[in-house]
């Protein structure tokens, strides 16, 4: 999924946030309350439309999937499903479902919760089909192309939703038929885009179905308030099948974009979880109290810059390679991010099956200013002379701005190139990248499931992914990349899969330099000592597993 926030759990103006949090106490459940920052307005709360970490966090709280991940082991674990099995040919997966999951609607005016019936296999089928239906316009529909006829329906080749390989065998048994064997399918089955959603509610309210008061959910929390561009409030769902284990009664969320403001709120006791801004990292590490509240650990995410390969000068592979060789990743980490990140040479980070990130035989592109200058000269732009104007864009954030300024300075020092910087608010930025991505743009990618298939094929395949790079699927290199990733997805031998992904990553990051891998993320969070929490490397945080004592 797209990383919408910076290295940190970003967390609106301090005065505004204080007003929001004091007002939130008026609605909902009794018990411990967690004050949290979403970092931005979620682009959506509709599981079929979510593609970024902020939206996924909202969906994690509101909707259950067939499966989920164990935060410690990364193993796929049951959620709505109680068990699953696969046919001997690996093509048919059958999931048995629990019978005590309820659909609920919370009325913010009365404060009452209404039960609306059980969550069934038919609800799962509806959710899957709705994501794949081209009328829904889900940016994430491609993750379901492993399901039989999903791609054909999503691209309009077939128009019958019933042709999609998902069906309800009975009220509590759902069956998927795949295009090819995929041992990682139980992880895909539980993704937010495949979570059951309420058909009657969607048909009644249309695009407004996710608003507070309208929305019908089944997860551990319910949506009590949504003041757009300002705040959200989630309260404990009393009808959740494991409600007795949910200790935190309310989640008060603000939408503070700037990390420095959010961390000031944390230090002032207005947020229970936050992260230091880049300028605060050294101070926090040296502080005897804050350093004990600081947590840093590897994360399954990669920070990268992408090119629009149709826009000069980045339609020239040597220019793309030059800009990548001219970027000193380790210096960025040492002087700007300071969060123990690791320089990236691949798109998929360590911890993902099939990535060559830690393969000593994968050289990647590392900092080499002499080579960068030579490549730029070979491309016809010695010392940057004659190069068309270059603009690099990022979504609005203090952290992204500092990284962009570092890149700007690096390219000036090492290539003699002046690069202009621009930024947009997250929701607008995503639309820009979809419609007309700038010459250089930033994104982060976090694993949906720990397999390279979720990275190279699902993100950069020109015909199956979002193709923000505008890579021409008819070009020889793109055809080779598509062939490698498609073969790897279908290959049962793990060793062969790794070899194929090695070549795919080499094409993406080195030979064609479609992107500049910058660093592998770390989770960086400060948490108040009265909060006992988990850390989710995949999907959203499991608030329902957290506790607050002595606040």
């Amino acid at each position: 999924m797209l990383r919408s926030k910076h290295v940190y759990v970003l967390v609106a103006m301090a005065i505004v946030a204080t007003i929001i949090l004091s007002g939130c106490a008026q609605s909902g459940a009794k018990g411990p309350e967690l004050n949290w920052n979403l970092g931005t307005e979620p682009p959506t709360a509709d599981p079929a439309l979510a593609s970024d970490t902020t939206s996924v966090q909202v969906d994690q709280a509101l909707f259950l999937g067939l499966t989920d991940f164990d935060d410690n082991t990364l193993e796929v674990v049951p959620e709505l499903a109680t068990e699953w099995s696969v046919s001997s040919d690996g093509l048919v997966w059958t999931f048995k479902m629990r019978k005590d999951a309820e659909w609920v609607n919370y009325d913010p005016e009365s404060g009452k919760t209404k039960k609306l019936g059980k969550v069934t296999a038919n609800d799962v089928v509806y959710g899957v089909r709705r994501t794949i239906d081209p009328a829904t316009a889900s940016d994430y529909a491609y993750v379901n192309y492993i399901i039989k006829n999903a791609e054909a329906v999503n691209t309009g080749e077939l128009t019958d939703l019933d042709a999609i390989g998902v069906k309800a065998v009975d009220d509590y048994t759902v069956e998927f038929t795949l295009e090819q064997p995929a041992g990682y399918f139980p992880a895909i089955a539980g993704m937010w885009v495949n979570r059951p959603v309420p058909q009657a509610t969607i048909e009644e309210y249309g695009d407004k179905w996710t608003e507070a008061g309208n929305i019908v959910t089944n997860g551990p929390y319910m949506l009590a308030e949504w003041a757009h561009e300002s705040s959200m409030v989630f309260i404990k769902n009393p009808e959740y099948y494991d409600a007795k284990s949910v200790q935190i009664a309310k989640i008060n969320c603000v939408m503070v974009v700037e990390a420095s403001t959010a961390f000031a709120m944390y230090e002032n006791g207005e947020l229970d979880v936050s992260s230091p801004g880049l300028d605060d990292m050294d101070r926090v590490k040296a502080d005897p109290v804050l350093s004990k509240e600081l947590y840093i650990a590897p994360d399954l995410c990669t920070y990268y810059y992408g090119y629009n390969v149709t826009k000069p000068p980045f339609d020239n592979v040597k220019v793309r390679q030059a800009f990548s060789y001219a970027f000193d990743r380790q210096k960025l980490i040492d002087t700007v991010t300071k969060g123990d990140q690791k320089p990236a040479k691949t798109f998929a980070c360590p911890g993902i099956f099939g990535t060559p990130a830690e393969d000593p035989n994968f050289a990647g592109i590392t900092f080499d200013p002499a080579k960068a200058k030579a490549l730029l000269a070979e491309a016809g732009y010695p010392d940057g002379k004659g190069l068309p104007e270059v603009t690099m864009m990022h979504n609005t954030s203090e952290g992204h701005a500092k990284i962009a300024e570092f890149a700007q300075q690096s390219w000036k020092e090492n290539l003699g190139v002046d690069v202009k910087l621009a930024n947009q608010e997250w929701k607008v930025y995503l639309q820009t990248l979809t419609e007309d991505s700038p010459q250089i743009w930033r994104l982060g990618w976090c694993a949906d499931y720990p397999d390279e298939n979720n990275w190279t094929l699902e993100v950069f395949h020109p015909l199956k992914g979002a193709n923000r790079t505008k890579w021409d699927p008819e070009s020889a290199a793109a055809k080779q990349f598509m062939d490698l990733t498609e073969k790897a997805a279908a290959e049962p031998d793990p060793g062969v899969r790794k070899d194929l992904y090695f070549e795919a990553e080499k094409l993406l990051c080195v030979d064609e330099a479609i992107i500049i891998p910058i660093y592998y993320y770390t989770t960086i969070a400060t948490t108040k000592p009265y909060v006992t929490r988990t850390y989710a490397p995949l999907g959203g945080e499991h608030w329902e597993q957290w506790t607050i004592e002595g606040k």
Side-chain angles (χ1 to χ4, degrees):
M1 89 196 83
L2 299 176
R3 183 84 174 219
S4 50
K5 296 171 266 188
H6 183 49
V7 189
Y8 317 105
V9 182
L10 287 181
V11 195
M13 307 294 292
I15 295 175
V16 174
T18 303
I19 294 171
I20 291 167
L21 291 177
S22 63
C24 285
Q26 298 174 9
S27 65
K30 297 178 181 179
E33 299 185 17
L34 178 74
N35 294 329
W36 173 276
N37 180 35
L38 287 168
T40 185
E41 164 81 1
T44 184
D46 186 331
L49 300 180
S51 62
D52 66 290
T53 51
T54 307
S55 300
V56 170
Q57 180 62 66
V58 170
D59 290 336
Q60 178 68 35
L62 298 176
F63 298 97
L64 299 171
L66 285 171
T67 62
D68 200 357
F69 291 99
D70 182 291
D71 287 337
N72 294 316
T73 67
L74 303 186
E75 292 180 358
V76 179
V77 294
E79 193 165 77
L80 279 175
T82 56
E83 60 180 282
W84 52 88
S85 59
V86 63
S87 60
S88 58
D89 61 4
L91 293 177
V92 180
W93 289 85
T94 304
F95 294 80
K96 297 287 186 179
M97 294 173 59
R98 60 187 316 123
K99 300 178 181 180
D100 55 356
E102 299 276 355
W103 287 111
V104 297
N105 170 253
Y106 177 75
D107 181 0
E109 292 188 7
S110 67
K112 293 182 179 179
T113 302
K114 182 189 298 183
K115 290 199 297 184
L116 299 173
K118 302 292 185 183
V119 180
T120 70
N122 288 305
D123 297 320
V124 176
V125 171
Y126 172 71
V128 173
R129 288 179 175 176
R130 179 171 174 267
T131 292
I132 295 168
D133 186 347
T136 304
S138 169
D139 288 339
Y140 240 63
Y142 62 83
V143 303
N144 279 335
Y145 284 2
I146 192 67
I147 301 172
K148 187 173 180 62
N149 291 328
E151 182 175 7
V153 170
N154 187 244
T155 58
E157 184 181 339
L158 294 176
T159 58
D160 184 5
L161 294 179
D162 290 339
I164 298 170
V166 58
K167 68 177 183 179
V169 177
D170 56 43
D171 284 350
Y172 298 101
T173 307
V174 62
E175 180 182 280
F176 293 86
T177 301
L178 308 187
E179 292 281 355
Q180 60 198 32
Y184 48 82
F185 183 71
I188 293 178
M191 285 178 60
W192 59 93
V193 289
N194 290 326
R195 291 180 182 178
V197 288
Q199 182 173 359
T201 304
I202 293 170
E203 291 175 351
E204 179 178 0
Y205 293 107
D207 292 342
K208 299 294 185 182
W209 81 270
T210 57
E211 294 297 319
N214 297 344
I215 193 168
V216 171
T217 58
N218 56 39
Y221 289 93
M222 305 179 296
L223 181 60
E225 299 177 25
W226 190 350
H228 288 281
E229 307 293 343
S230 179
S231 64
M232 298 181 85
V233 178
F234 302 87
I235 62 171
K236 177 179 173 179
N237 175 8
E239 305 302 333
Y240 172 54
Y241 63 78
D242 197 25
K244 66 181 184 300
S245 298
V246 179
Q247 191 247 14
I248 297 177
K250 183 185 291 186
I251 316 289
N252 301 311
C253 296
V254 292
M255 301 173 187
V256 183
V257 174
E258 301 305 348
S260 58
T261 303
F263 194 64
M265 292 171 66
Y266 176 83
E267 291 190 271
N268 197 39
E270 298 168 80
L271 289 173
D272 300 316
V273 177
S274 183
S275 287
L278 297 180
D279 291 338
D280 289 317
M281 282 298 293
D282 290 337
R283 175 176 67 87
V284 170
K285 288 180 177 180
D287 187 283
V289 175
L290 292 172
S291 62
K292 293 179 180 178
E293 298 173 3
L294 178 66
Y295 173 89
I296 300 178
D299 199 2
L300 297 180
C301 303
T302 299
Y303 195 106
Y304 71 100
Y305 284 167
Y307 297 111
N308 183 328
V309 300
T310 69
K311 292 185 175 181
F314 300 107
D315 53 348
N316 186 319
V317 64
K318 290 185 178 181
V319 176
R320 299 196 298 268
Q321 291 171 332
F323 272 64
S324 189
Y325 276 111
F327 198 108
D328 190 342
R329 296 151 176 84
Q330 189 61 58
K331 184 178 179 181
L332 171 75
I333 294 165
D334 293 341
T335 63
V336 180
T337 62
K338 301 179 182 179
D340 297 346
Q341 299 88 358
K342 300 297 181 185
K345 60 180 181 178
T346 57
F347 179 49
C349 59
I352 301 300
F353 173 83
T355 180
E358 296 180 319
D359 187 332
N361 295 315
F362 191 94
I365 286 182
T366 56
F367 181 55
D368 189 337
K371 188 167 186 176
K373 290 191 73 170
L375 282 164
L376 196 62
E378 289 174 22
Y381 307 107
D383 297 319
K385 295 174 183 176
L387 199 72
E389 183 177 281
V390 174
T391 298
M392 202 288 286
M393 184 179 286
H394 60 87
N395 54 299
T396 304
S397 152
E398 289 173 334
H400 296 324
K402 289 182 183 298
I403 294 172
E405 288 162 5
F406 176 90
Q408 181 185 50
Q409 185 62 31
S410 294
W411 292 326
K412 177 64 174 176
E413 291 178 356
N414 300 317
L415 295 176
V417 175
D418 290 308
V419 175
K420 293 185 176 181
L421 302 181
N423 71 90
Q424 293 179 335
E425 179 271 333
W426 178 241
K427 191 173 182 178
V428 176
Y429 181 69
L430 289 181
Q431 192 66 29
T432 297
L433 295 191
T434 299
E435 294 176 353
D436 184 27
S437 56
Q439 291 159 299
I440 311 176
W441 42 271
R442 69 73 43 191
L443 273 179
W445 183 259
C446 296
D448 302 319
Y449 54 93
D451 192 282
E452 177 81 66
N453 184 75
N454 180 230
W455 296 69
T456 47
L457 185 145
E458 292 183 356
V459 180
F460 288 110
H461 190 294
L463 297 178
K464 297 181 185 291
N467 199 19
R468 295 179 177 88
T469 66
K470 312 305 178 188
W471 200 0
D472 181 4
E474 294 301 316
S475 68
K479 286 182 177 180
Q480 183 181 0
F481 181 83
M482 292 188 289
D483 182 59
L484 287 166
T485 54
E486 289 171 13
K487 283 181 177 177
E491 174 58 52
D493 186 307
V496 175
R497 290 189 76 216
K498 287 181 179 180
D499 291 342
L500 291 167
Y501 284 131
F502 184 105
E503 295 303 321
E505 286 271 14
K506 186 169 178 291
L507 261 177
L508 180 70
C509 301
V510 183
D511 298 346
E512 291 298 310
I514 301 297
I515 65 170
I516 306 175
I518 296 178
Y519 61 75
Y520 304 127
Y521 276 87
T522 49
T523 295
I524 302 175
T526 47
T527 305
K528 296 296 186 182
Y530 49 77
V531 178
T532 300
R533 60 167 297 175
T534 57
Y535 294 89
L538 297 163
E541 296 291 352
H542 293 100
W543 290 330
E544 70 276 11
Q545 297 177 16
W546 295 22
T547 59
I548 294 178
E549 301 288 349
K551 181 177 178 181

